Structure formats: structure tokens, C-alpha cells
Amino acid sequence: HVQLVESGGGSVQAGGSLRLSCAVSGYDALYLCMGWFRRGPGQEREGVASINDRSTTYADSVKGRFTISLDSAKSTLYLQMNSLKPEDTDMYYCAARPQCLARSLSQGWYDFWGQGTQVTV
């Protein structure tokens, strides 16, 4: 059973940076597909970034500003957020899918979710 715990959210001025962390337990993070989502305006959470086997995918709205990375030794997923904008304000969640061969920015792809961390710009 995969457990995910996010941290690192907070308040920052526009143009500033934050780094979110997601601690993984219960499974070897190296063999997970993982992603960062935010609540978004609709019914489904909005995919921000995903990673699998060191390959990454980003939503157009964050390309060039956000970077997703995985430190498998620390079992921690990161989201480095630079040049933050007011429209980035949201609750951010990390997500995971075990034994996965492909990345996805779709909420339905993932099986496990963290509790979320708030980012306010």
C-alpha cells in the first residue's frame, strides 16, 4: 500500500519559487509512475507534471517554470516551482501508480494520493 505525504507549500509573492516534496513509503519509488496535480477549476484535478523512469511530461501552463524530479534514494518526489503566478494558487497533490510503464497527466491513471499542500501566490 503506497503512502504519500506532501510538504513544502506556503505563500509566496508572484515571481517567487517554492519546492514541494512528496515522501513515499510502502513501495519502492523507483518503480512508480508519479505525478503532481492541482485542484483546478473543474471537477477533475488538473495534471501539472508526471515522471516515469526519469522521463517527464508537463502541462502547457507550467512548462519552463516547473520541474518534477524523483530522488529514489530518499523516496521523495519533488516539484520545483519557479516564476510563480497568481493563477498557480491552488491545493497541490502528488499521486502514484505502481508497476507502471507510462506517464500520464490524467487523474484516473493514478491509484494513490497524498492529502495535499496549499500554494498561495
Side-chain angles (χ1 to χ4, degrees), residues 31-53:
Y31 300 105
L32 292 169
C33 291
M34 299 198 72
W36 285 101
F37 287 74
R38 55 193 182 190
R39 186 177 293 154
Q43 291 185 335
E44 285 213 352
R45 291 173 180 172
E46 176 188 3
V48 173
S50 65
I51 188 168
N52 164 246
D53 195 22

Side-chain angles (χ1 to χ4, degrees), residues 32-113:
L32 292 169
C33 291
M34 299 198 72
W36 285 101
F37 287 74
R38 55 193 182 190
R39 186 177 293 154
Q43 291 185 335
E44 285 213 352
R45 291 173 180 172
E46 176 188 3
V48 173
S50 65
I51 188 168
N52 164 246
D53 195 22
R54 301 187 184 280
S55 295
T56 58
T57 300
Y58 295 94
D60 288 343
S61 58
V62 306
K63 278 181 184 175
R65 300 190 298 122
F66 290 11
T67 303
I68 187 172
S69 61
L70 175 67
D71 186 333
S72 56
K74 294 182 178 180
S75 293
T76 301
L77 180 73
Y78 298 102
L79 185 68
Q80 178 67 45
M81 304 187 294
N82 298 328
S83 302
L84 282 161
K85 305 175 181 180
E87 51 263 44
D88 295 318
T89 294
D90 215 327
M91 183 72 79
Y92 285 73
Y93 302 87
C94 68
R97 174 173 173 145
Q99 298 180 321
C100 173
L101 299 178
R103 304 177 304 282
S104 177
L105 294 178
S106 173
Q107 172 183 301
W109 183 246
Y110 295 92
D111 301 309
F112 298 97
W113 294 83

